[in-house]
Amino acid sequence: SHPACGTCGIASAKAKSPPTDRVSKFDSTKSDVMTKEKLKPGELVSMDSITISIPGRPFSGRGGDLSKFSHGATIFHDAATNIIQVYPQRTISASDTLLSKEKFEQFMWEKAGARVLHYHSDQGIFVSKAFKADCDEKHQSQTFSAVGAKWQNGLAESAVKSTFWRARHFMLHAALHWSTNGSDDPSYWPQAVAYSCWIHNRLPSKDHGFSPLELLTNVKSDHGELRRARVFGCPAYVLDARLQDKHKVPKFAHRAHLGQFMGFSEETSSTAALVRHLGTQNLSTQLHCTFDEKFETVFGMLGGEDEPLDDVTSIIWDKLFDTSRDWYVDPEFDAIGDDLVYEVPFLADEWL
């Protein structure tokens, strides 16, 4: 059996279903009813909107302007390629959802020259006049699930489940291994969700060996980007800006600064990581980084959630006291016990 994983225990916990004698039967003839004969990118795109109660940080800047925080997202899933894209939004309004739609259509066009022909979704914001008018203007058809019948939009619902499942594991894994410096802040869910999509779109399928991006672009990948993937939320040591510019720094000055890896930006190469500055909270892309993917250089939650740092400090202190201290033996006397043979050196008051 696999070793126990604390992250999985916390992130995957769910209520047990009551015992039942009913046997579910899987009808293989209906498993691909939505994707049958949808063989070209853009012929069928499923979408869904998600409301999230935790405000999400924007992908750049210091996060001081709360008006720019996200309170939801729209997810898009292309049936032909299994491509998934999620776009955080400040509101789940028609105007913000149309902006996400525009971003997805631009993504499909830039990657493969593909136009979206048909959208399938729940009702909600997608039946608004503004959204339907935009689809009509672009000659895009729409179909909708019945009210309360979320399974009729199964492709988008499955994409939501898998994408946010990975993102939740990313964030909780980082929080368990690094509980200081604001590294367990849940407001970074947009970055975790974006990295979840980034991984999914580049991960080869077990069925046919191609990734969604390969199917979309029709170009075989050497998976170099995937090999450069890092553990989300891990410590990232960014080279000092002066050294990046080929300048010198004082001999005993820090040559790197500690930050936190937050994924990759779609707007830059995967060789440049998105890193959070621990002091200013600024998010920026950085090229010259060293990553601690095992979280060996930071503190994590080894004890209770209330005082994790005290527990860690206590363990370190015990080890130092046992193995890394100098001490003197007790005073020694001769065999008779009258004459002092060895006297312990005097210890000044300031050390007591």
Side-chain angles (χ1 to χ4, degrees):
S1 62
H2 296 291
C5 172
T7 301
C8 295
I10 294 175
S12 302
K14 58 183 179 180
K16 291 184 178 181
S17 302
T20 178
D21 296 330
R22 186 178 64 182
V23 178
S24 299
K25 295 183 179 181
F26 175 71
D27 189 349
S28 60
T29 62
K30 297 181 179 180
S31 61
D32 60 347
V33 65
M34 288 296 298
T35 60
K36 189 176 182 180
E37 298 178 358
K38 305 293 182 181
L39 303 179
K40 294 181 180 179
E43 285 195 351
L44 172 59
V45 173
S46 298
M47 56 185 176
D48 197 6
S49 60
I50 311 108
T51 301
I52 300 175
S53 60
I54 301 173
R57 274 284 308 271
F59 283 80
S60 61
R62 301 186 179 186
D65 189 355
L66 297 179
S67 65
K68 295 182 179 180
F69 276 51
S70 301
H71 295 82
T74 299
I75 188 168
F76 298 86
H77 175 271
D78 180 59
T81 62
N82 200 28
I83 279 283
I84 295 176
Q85 288 290 106
V86 177
Y87 299 100
Q89 301 173 190
R90 288 182 293 177
T91 64
I92 305 299
S93 62
S95 58
D96 284 350
T97 304
L98 283 173
L99 288 176
S100 296
K101 177 177 178 288
E102 183 68 27
K103 291 177 182 178
F104 177 73
E105 291 169 357
Q106 183 178 358
F107 168 83
M108 295 289 284
W109 178 254
E110 291 178 352
K111 292 293 184 182
R115 297 185 183 276
V116 178
L117 302 179
H118 180 80
Y119 283 109
H120 181 78
S121 65
D122 297 334
Q123 298 190 34
I125 198 64
F126 304 112
V127 298
S128 65
K129 292 182 178 180
F131 197 93
K132 295 180 103 175
D134 188 78
C135 289
D136 292 340
E137 183 180 347
K138 297 176 180 178
H139 305 288
Q140 297 165 334
S141 57
Q142 283 183 276
T143 53
F144 303 98
S145 302
V147 176
K150 288 184 175 293
W151 64 86
Q152 294 181 348
N153 193 23
L155 295 177
E157 297 291 340
S158 176
V160 170
K161 181 180 179 180
S162 62
T163 301
F164 281 81
W165 180 89
R166 278 190 299 267
R168 182 170 64 251
H169 281 69
F170 290 164
M171 297 181 69
L172 289 175
H173 181 78
L176 287 173
H177 289 80
W178 190 2
S179 56
T180 60
N181 304 110
S183 302
D184 55 353
D185 189 346
S187 68
Y188 291 99
W189 65 260
Q191 289 73 30
V193 169
Y195 193 50
S196 176
C197 291
W198 191 93
I199 293 289
H200 167 84
N201 290 336
R202 289 160 177 79
L203 198 65
S205 169
K206 291 182 179 180
D207 297 331
H208 46 67
F210 297 103
S211 69
L213 264 180
E214 287 178 300
L215 296 177
L216 176 63
T217 61
N218 202 27
V219 175
K220 187 73 174 72
S221 172
D222 62 356
H223 302 298
E225 288 186 322
L226 198 57
R227 290 196 295 270
R228 288 192 288 272
R230 304 293 179 179
V231 175
F232 181 85
C234 73
Y237 291 88
V238 182
L239 188 67
D240 189 281
R242 293 168 292 182
L243 293 173
Q244 294 186 33
D245 295 334
K246 308 299 182 183
H247 300 311
K248 293 183 178 181
V249 297
K251 289 186 180 297
F252 301 107
H254 291 184
R255 297 177 64 86
H257 302 281
L258 177 60
Q260 186 179 24
F261 173 70
M262 307 301 288
F264 297 106
S265 173
E266 290 285 357
E267 299 176 357
T268 60
S269 169
S270 64
T271 56
L274 185 64
V275 179
R276 178 179 72 93
H277 191 284
L278 300 186
T280 64
Q281 309 302 317
N282 185 54
L283 288 174
S284 61
T285 53
Q286 299 290 337
L287 180 62
H288 304 279
C289 300
T290 301
F291 301 95
D292 172 22
E293 297 187 81
K294 294 184 178 180
F295 296 85
E296 294 175 324
T297 58
V298 292
F299 290 112
M301 291 184 182
L302 298 185
E305 295 184 2
D306 294 334
E307 297 179 330
L309 188 56
D310 290 344
D311 294 338
V312 176
T313 304
S314 177
I315 293 172
I316 294 175
W317 171 252
D318 290 341
K319 290 182 179 179
L320 290 175
F321 194 78
D322 288 339
T323 63
S324 303
R325 67 186 176 103
D326 292 328
W327 67 92
Y328 297 98
V329 296
D330 295 331
E332 295 182 7
F333 296 88
D334 60 12
I336 301 176
D338 295 333
D339 297 329
L340 183 66
V341 178
Y342 175 77
E343 183 177 4
V344 178
F346 173 77
L347 188 62
D349 291 340
E350 60 263 25
W351 297 103
L352 295 177

